[in-house]
Amino acid sequence: MMQAENQTQRLIVRVATDADVESVDQLRIDAYKTAKWFTAEDSERLKVASDPAGTTVFVAEPHGQPGRLLGTVAIAVSGDRQSLEKAVGASLEGRELVFPCATVMRLATSEEARGMSINHILRACFVEKALQDGWEFFCSSQAKGTPNIEAMKQLGYVFEEVPSTLMNTVKVADDSLMLNWLRRKDYKDTLRKIYSYLTAKNA
């Protein structure tokens, strides 16, 4: 569990429970509807029930208001290339892969949470968990127009454009994805940068 404070809100980030599933599903669907950089193909595939086996879902909520979700993210952990390719929606043939590998999925924040640095707070939590649980690297994918790509590069993520050969949840422009990587050797530096950012933002 992680607690963060800013001028108006105290937040708790925790692992989702069965009681959160309906709210997580709705938050994901609402957030994906408003995104301009991809189109959701099938809202049923956005739901927790469609997450890969073994996925951990984090939620952020105001302290003292359990179940009022301001943000959520799912982390799928793969133990082989096939499951990783399914998670990211692209072929990884020919790449040197080390497992277990984590994929960031279904990152969503509510409209009322804008400006609260929820994405960075969630990212700090799952990178901390990666260090704790021995995940060797992150490999995830995003649409090319995703607004946070530059910010992620500053945190140490490496990006490359790849064909969207296996993506079936969303439709992306030009049928291509931005694949991003973060290696274990960079986790601590990434965390340092995240906490520096949060401190500067009073989050």
Side-chain angles (χ1 to χ4, degrees):
M1 182 184 294
M2 176 183 179
Q3 297 185 355
E5 292 207 30
N6 63 22
Q7 293 176 343
T8 59
Q9 193 83 267
R10 189 178 181 195
L11 303 176
I12 291 179
V13 175
R14 59 175 174 80
V15 174
T17 67
D18 290 344
D20 297 308
V21 169
E22 187 175 341
S23 296
V24 169
D25 288 345
Q26 194 59 56
L27 181 54
R28 290 177 178 182
I29 291 168
D30 290 346
Y32 274 50
K33 277 181 183 175
T34 60
K36 298 178 175 61
W37 45 94
F38 60 76
T39 304
E41 295 280 87
D42 181 356
S43 61
E44 288 299 312
R45 288 178 174 162
L46 298 175
K47 294 184 175 181
V48 172
S50 295
D51 290 351
T55 295
T56 299
V57 178
F58 291 94
V59 294
E61 64 189 12
H63 180 70
Q65 299 181 58
R68 182 181 156 222
L69 304 188
L70 300 177
T72 183
V73 66
I75 308 296
V77 179
S78 301
D80 57 71
R81 194 186 88 187
Q82 184 177 9
S83 59
L84 178 57
E85 288 180 334
K86 186 175 181 181
V88 300
S91 172
L92 301 172
E93 186 174 358
R95 288 176 170 82
E96 182 180 346
L97 305 173
V98 183
F99 297 97
C101 171
T103 300
V104 181
M105 308 174 72
R106 316 286 191 260
L107 180 61
T109 56
S110 68
E111 188 172 351
E112 66 178 304
R114 289 177 182 170
M116 293 176 62
S117 304
I118 297 287
N119 286 4
H120 275 73
I121 292 169
L122 288 169
R123 193 174 304 280
C125 288
F126 63 67
V127 175
E128 289 275 14
K129 185 166 177 60
L131 268 174
Q132 172 187 308
D133 289 6
W135 302 343
E136 291 298 327
F137 67 104
F138 284 89
C139 177
S140 308
S141 60
Q142 297 169 258
K144 285 193 289 186
T146 306
N148 67 343
I149 287 178
E150 287 305 313
M152 288 177 64
K153 286 179 179 178
Q154 292 175 18
L155 293 176
Y157 286 81
V158 176
F159 281 80
E160 62 174 307
E161 188 172 338
V162 297
S164 173
T165 52
L166 303 173
M167 179 65 72
N168 59 16
T169 302
V170 299
K171 175 69 175 175
V172 293
D174 303 323
D175 292 321
S176 62
L177 290 167
M178 296 302 292
L179 207 63
N180 66 67
W181 307 83
L182 184 68
R183 302 285 178 180
R184 186 173 181 82
K185 65 180 178 61
D186 297 318
Y187 290 175
K188 288 183 179 179
D189 190 51
T190 294
L191 282 169
R192 180 186 59 77
K193 291 175 180 176
I194 293 173
Y195 286 124
S196 176
Y197 172 88
L198 293 173
T199 299
K201 292 289 185 179
N202 244 359

